[in-house]
């Protein structure tokens, strides 16, 4: 815990939240020569509800940070093993402009390491300290009120980056609103011993059923961690019109019981946790003149697979580039989010909304699983493994569909 005598009083950039998004923002801003303070309510290392998977998109950002060798010392996977409706398909990562490999690292370790990278880059880290309010100068944030075990104090800042997670308490203070009319997820995660802890494939079960055998709109996953355990989890999709009515922890147990023999699972599910995930940019008021929401706080979570680490790392870099380049935030930051994610999030949440209907999944799932080509295409689209540099037909179709979807949105992403 930071002692009162060592409390920071000011910073060029104050980053609230030291997950992947906040730590990336702090690292890049510090490397640009700015004075950075990185604050988090927890004491590190700390856990986080997550599947722990790192897609090629996330790997690319970790490489930018200089962490490829560190990642390769952990588990490396070749792609996705998709299960469902009597079929199993091996779908290699598509590569292209992105790396052709993935990984999985428990968030207790990953987040602690990324925070250390930010500190080594020059950021000052403050833990066990919660952001509880702001002092404004007109529309700008002049200072943030922090609370630690010794009381409250202020840190003045020129720029404020809000990376405090899916609930984003500080974002709410600044006016962030979450709109549940588009798809969101209820997800759970646990750890369990497995004989396939070194499996070179991550697994996803697209046919998820409850105790009664009823099809649940969602998916289950097994992500090998290379240490004798796997991350086992399940997520269900919902909207305000079709809310989730499934108890996620019993669903994880049913899922584990169903697939246990195939994956050599043994023992109890450990450290089960769950979270509610805003997805697809389903928030408004993401920025002001000198402040911006990034990562999960800005609902930068993929509606089709629940992935958020890659977007957290990317938005951390993007916001640092905005600040270091002297560009304003406000509408410029919202426009950046729309430019990079608007089309993909729009079409993805539209497709995910369809997937909240079990009858549709039951009708289309078997047909999709019979086609390696279709599922390979779906993997690329569902994982948003289409980079701005990609110019092939699949990338052009995805962008075309995204533009059409955005034009039809009653509430486009980030508005």
């Amino acid at each position: 815990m930071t002692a009162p005598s060592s409390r920071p009083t000011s910073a060029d950039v104050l980053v609230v939240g030291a997950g992947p998004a906040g730590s990336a923002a702090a690292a890049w801003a510090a490397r640009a020569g700015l004075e950075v303070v990185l604050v988090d309510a927890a004491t590190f290392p700390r856990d986080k509800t997550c599947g722990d998977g790192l897609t090629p998109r996330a790997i690319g950002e970790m490489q930018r940070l200089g962490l490829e060798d560190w990642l390769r010392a952990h588990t490396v996977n070749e792609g996705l093993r998709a299960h469902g409706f009597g079929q199993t398909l091996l779908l290699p990562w598509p590569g292209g402009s992105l790396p052709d490999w993935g990984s999985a690292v428990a968030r207790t370790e990953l987040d602690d390491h990324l925070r250390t990278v930010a500190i080594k880059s020059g950021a000052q880290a403050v833990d066990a300290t919660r952001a509880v309010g702001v002092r404004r100068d007109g529309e700008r944030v002049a200072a943030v009120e922090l609370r630690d075990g010794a009381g409250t104090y202020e840190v003045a800042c020129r720029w404020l980056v809000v990376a405090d997670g899916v609930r984003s308490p500080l974002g709410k203070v600044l006016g962030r609103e979450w709109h549940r009319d588009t798809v969101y997820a209820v997800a759970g995660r646990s750890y369990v011993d497995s004989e396939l802890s070194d499996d070179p494939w991550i697994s996803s079960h697209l046919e998820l059923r409850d105790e009664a055998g009823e099809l649940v709109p969602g998916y289950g996953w097994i992500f090998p961690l290379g240490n004798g355990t796997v991350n086992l989890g399940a997520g269900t999709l919902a909207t305000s019109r079709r809310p989730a009515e499934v108890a996620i922890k019993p669903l994880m147990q049913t899922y584990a019981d169903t697939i246990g023999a195939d994956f050599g699972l043994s023992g109890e599910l450990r450290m089960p946790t769950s979270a509610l995930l805003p997805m697809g940019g389903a928030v408004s008021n993401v920025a002001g003149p000198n402040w911006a929401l990034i990562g999960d706080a800005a609902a930068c979570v993929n509606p089709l697979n629940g992935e958020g680490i890659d977007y957290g790392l990317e938005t951390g870099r993007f916001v640092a580039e905005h600040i270091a380049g002297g560009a304003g935030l406000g509408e410029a930051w919202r426009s950046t989010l729309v430019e990079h994610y608007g089309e993909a999030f729009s079409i993805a949440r539209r497709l995910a909304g369809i997937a909240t209907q079990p009858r549709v999944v039951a009708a289309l799932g078997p047909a999709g699983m019979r086609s390696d080509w279709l599922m390979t295409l779906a993997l690329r689209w569902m994982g948003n493994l289409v980079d701005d540099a990609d110019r092939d037909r699949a990338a052009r179709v995805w962008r075309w569909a995204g533009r059409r979807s955005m034009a039809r949105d009653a509430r486009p992403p980030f508005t």
Side-chain angles (χ1 to χ4, degrees):
M1 182 183 299
T2 303
S5 60
S6 61
R7 287 171 169 172
T9 58
S10 65
D12 292 328
V13 183
L14 175 61
V15 182
V16 176
S23 290
W28 289 116
R31 292 177 185 185
L34 296 164
E35 182 186 18
V36 180
V37 171
L38 176 62
V39 175
D40 198 278
T43 299
F44 281 71
R46 59 97 175 97
D47 191 22
K48 169 75 187 300
T49 302
C50 184
D52 298 337
L54 297 169
T55 66
R57 195 176 184 114
I59 297 296
E61 285 300 310
M62 299 281 280
Q63 288 173 330
R64 287 176 182 267
L65 285 166
L67 297 176
E68 178 168 352
D69 289 345
W70 181 80
L71 273 179
R72 287 192 177 276
H74 296 75
T75 181
V76 170
N77 56 65
E78 301 174 19
L80 174 69
R81 182 192 291 114
H83 306 261
F85 307 99
Q87 303 287 329
T88 297
L89 301 176
L90 290 178
L91 308 172
W93 295 120
S97 60
L98 295 171
D100 61 357
W101 58 284
S103 185
V105 182
R107 289 292 295 272
T108 304
E109 181 182 358
L110 177 71
D111 289 16
D112 190 52
H113 191 75
L114 286 170
R115 180 173 175 268
T116 299
V117 169
I119 294 169
K120 290 181 177 179
S121 298
Q124 177 184 354
V126 181
D127 62 7
T129 300
R130 189 175 302 276
V132 295
V134 298
R135 176 167 56 82
R136 297 179 185 263
D137 181 5
E139 295 184 355
R140 298 176 65 85
V141 171
V144 175
E145 183 182 4
L146 303 177
R147 178 179 297 149
D148 61 18
T152 60
Y153 64 102
E154 276 193 353
V155 174
C157 59
R158 293 171 54 202
W159 306 96
L160 170 63
V161 176
V162 182
D164 55 351
V166 292
R167 296 183 180 276
S168 192
L170 188 60
K172 290 180 182 178
V173 171
L174 292 165
R176 171 203 191 246
E177 293 185 61
W178 173 24
H179 307 287
R180 302 193 189 194
D181 48 337
T182 55
V183 70
Y184 62 93
V186 182
R189 172 232 73 188
S190 63
Y191 295 102
V192 61
D193 294 335
S194 171
E195 297 173 2
L196 296 183
S197 175
D198 293 312
D199 191 349
W201 300 86
I202 63 173
S203 288
S204 179
H205 290 78
L206 307 180
E207 183 183 1
L208 187 62
R209 296 185 180 271
D210 61 20
E211 288 185 44
E214 296 295 323
L215 191 64
V216 175
Y219 44 85
W221 67 79
I222 296 283
F223 292 168
L225 294 173
N227 59 0
T229 67
V230 295
N231 182 306
L232 179 149
T236 63
L237 300 172
T239 66
S240 56
R241 293 177 61 186
R242 288 186 289 273
E245 298 177 350
V246 176
I248 198 69
K249 292 182 181 179
L251 179 63
M252 283 196 296
Q253 186 62 61
T254 299
Y255 173 51
D257 293 341
T258 302
I259 66 168
D262 293 335
F263 286 85
L265 305 183
S266 61
E268 297 182 350
L269 301 185
R270 300 188 301 276
M271 300 171 62
T273 61
S274 61
L276 202 62
L277 300 179
M279 298 171 126
V283 295
S284 55
N285 298 323
V286 294
N290 71 329
W291 59 269
L293 274 58
I294 64 173
D296 288 357
C300 290
V301 178
N302 190 323
L304 289 172
N305 67 3
E307 166 68 11
I309 296 174
D310 47 5
Y311 305 116
L313 294 169
E314 287 178 357
T315 54
R317 175 168 59 87
F318 294 157
V319 79
E321 290 171 352
H322 264 264
I323 292 170
L329 294 175
E331 178 58 26
W333 178 244
R334 192 193 71 82
S335 295
T336 293
L337 293 177
V338 171
E339 175 189 353
H340 285 280
Y341 308 121
E343 293 174 1
F345 280 176
S346 176
I347 186 62
R349 70 190 192 185
R350 196 175 297 278
L351 294 173
I354 295 172
T356 63
Q357 305 174 56
R359 284 181 294 181
V360 174
V361 176
L364 299 181
M369 286 296 295
R370 285 194 293 267
S371 170
D372 286 54
W373 173 82
L374 184 59
M375 288 304 295
T376 297
L377 192 61
L379 170 64
R380 188 174 176 197
W381 287 349
M382 290 172 64
N384 198 12
L385 300 177
V386 177
D387 192 72
D388 291 342
D390 292 330
R391 295 291 183 267
D392 58 280
R393 181 178 297 178
R396 294 198 304 270
V397 169
W398 185 239
R399 295 191 186 98
W400 174 85
R403 289 193 297 271
R404 298 275 292 181
S405 180
M406 282 274 284
R408 294 170 178 263
D409 276 342
R411 188 192 301 279
F414 310 109
T415 60

